[in-house]
Amino acid sequence: MSARTVHTLTGSGIPLSAHFTLPAEGAAPRATILAIHGRGMRAGYWDAFTPLATRLGHAVLAVDRPGYGDSAAYLPEGQNLADQAETLRAALKEHARTHDLGAGVFLLGHSDGGKVALHTAAGGTDAPPLLGLDASGVGYHYNPEALHFPSTLGGGATKLNWGPLGLYPRGTFQASRALLAPTPPRESAETMWWPRQFETLAPEIRIPVRLTFAQHEAWWDLSETALQAMTTRLTASPSVTVDHLSSSGHNISLGHTATAYHLRALAFLEECLLRR
């Protein structure tokens, strides 16, 4: 069986709680997946993904982002997305001192965690080698209906975050309460500026990128024009792929189609390993 531990990373002196799972039977990891949760969630968002990844020989480091989990006491206002990425890069560097990363680090991000993953990929070269980036639920331009940016915990974002309730297994919404956490103020304050941020960081991303959007994704403008504008800004990436997942809502990894999405993400990781 795979060995999962409650783990603490340290990034720039900030303790970050995480779930760390190694491949079965103590095998050396083929790669390490840094799984980054979305707004108002915790690392447990990736619990269904981890067993699949470890069975394929990868280590999974599902982290509570800066401002969530153990770091919330140290960062009561949280950090903006760029600072979160810097903290995660420092934590990865420290983690690599004592753990085998395999061929490198694969970034897996959802929603605001996908934004942080994109910031992380665009950052400096002082972090361990990055293999690729798979992001779900993060686009370029917001859907006009989402521009009021409702509170996740306040219930105003139910339609945006979930879509039709039948897309999720029975009991999902009760169980997901354990995953919820307040969104740090600094993270919330910069939400509206994401399109401008993406325009700045996109040309600096030099690893393969895969973007997945749910059929019932309501946060983002998913028109062909908007998606083409997003992908064409990733000028330094060796490959950019856009995938659409039917019968799914924004929180893909909690829905009925979670396994399909996770397997596609892991297939993309295999392509990144072959490319490397």
Side-chain angles (χ1 to χ4, degrees):
M1 293 181 60
S2 300
R4 168 173 160 169
T5 60
V6 177
H7 193 63
T8 300
L9 296 167
T10 302
S12 303
I14 300 168
L16 304 173
S17 46
H19 300 161
F20 181 47
T21 312
L22 289 166
E25 310 301 332
R30 300 173 59 219
T32 295
I33 301 169
L34 179 65
I36 311 172
H37 65 83
R39 168 190 300 233
M41 287 279 183
R42 294 282 301 274
Y45 176 83
W46 299 108
D47 281 357
F49 169 81
T50 297
L52 291 172
T54 54
R55 281 201 292 271
L56 291 175
H58 306 298
V60 178
L61 191 56
V63 63
D64 286 325
R65 289 194 283 120
Y68 295 85
D70 288 355
S71 68
Y74 294 80
L75 300 167
E77 297 295 309
Q79 290 183 325
N80 62 35
L81 300 179
D83 288 344
Q84 289 183 43
E86 183 177 344
T87 300
L88 288 180
R89 284 195 299 270
L92 276 175
K93 187 176 181 180
E94 186 64 28
H95 180 77
R97 296 181 190 276
T98 53
H99 295 83
D100 182 1
L101 301 181
V105 175
F106 181 76
L107 299 174
L108 180 69
H110 171 69
S111 195
D112 273 16
K115 297 176 184 177
V116 174
L118 288 161
H119 274 284
T120 302
T125 59
D126 57 334
L130 300 179
L131 300 169
L133 186 160
D134 190 292
S136 61
V138 55
Y140 177 16
H141 292 295
Y142 290 105
N143 180 346
E145 295 181 6
L147 287 175
H148 58 300
F149 302 125
S151 165
T152 298
L153 289 181
T158 300
K159 179 180 178 182
L160 296 172
N161 285 336
W162 298 97
L165 303 189
L167 300 175
Y168 301 88
R170 185 182 299 274
T172 295
F173 304 102
Q174 182 175 358
S176 68
R177 292 175 185 172
L179 304 178
L180 298 179
T183 304
R186 287 184 181 170
E187 183 175 323
S188 292
E190 68 171 355
T191 300
M192 65 182 296
W193 303 113
W194 168 248
R196 187 177 301 176
Q197 292 175 355
F198 178 75
E199 290 166 7
T200 300
L201 64 88
E204 303 301 320
I205 297 174
R206 295 177 169 80
I207 56 176
V209 174
R210 179 175 176 271
L211 305 168
T212 298
F213 297 100
Q215 178 184 356
H216 298 280
E217 173 62 66
W219 277 103
W220 302 102
D221 179 352
L222 300 185
S223 66
E224 183 177 348
T225 300
L227 294 181
Q228 184 176 13
M230 183 177 190
T231 57
T232 55
R233 289 188 177 276
L234 294 160
T235 53
S237 174
S239 71
V240 181
T241 305
V242 175
D243 196 7
H244 297 272
L245 192 63
S246 63
S247 303
S248 57
H250 178 74
N251 281 319
I252 291 175
S253 289
L254 301 179
H256 287 300
T257 58
T259 300
Y261 166 61
H262 295 157
L263 289 173
R264 293 183 192 184
L266 289 164
F268 176 58
L269 170 53
E270 294 295 333
E271 294 174 9
C272 293
L273 288 170
L274 288 173
R275 179 186 297 271
R276 184 171 182 83

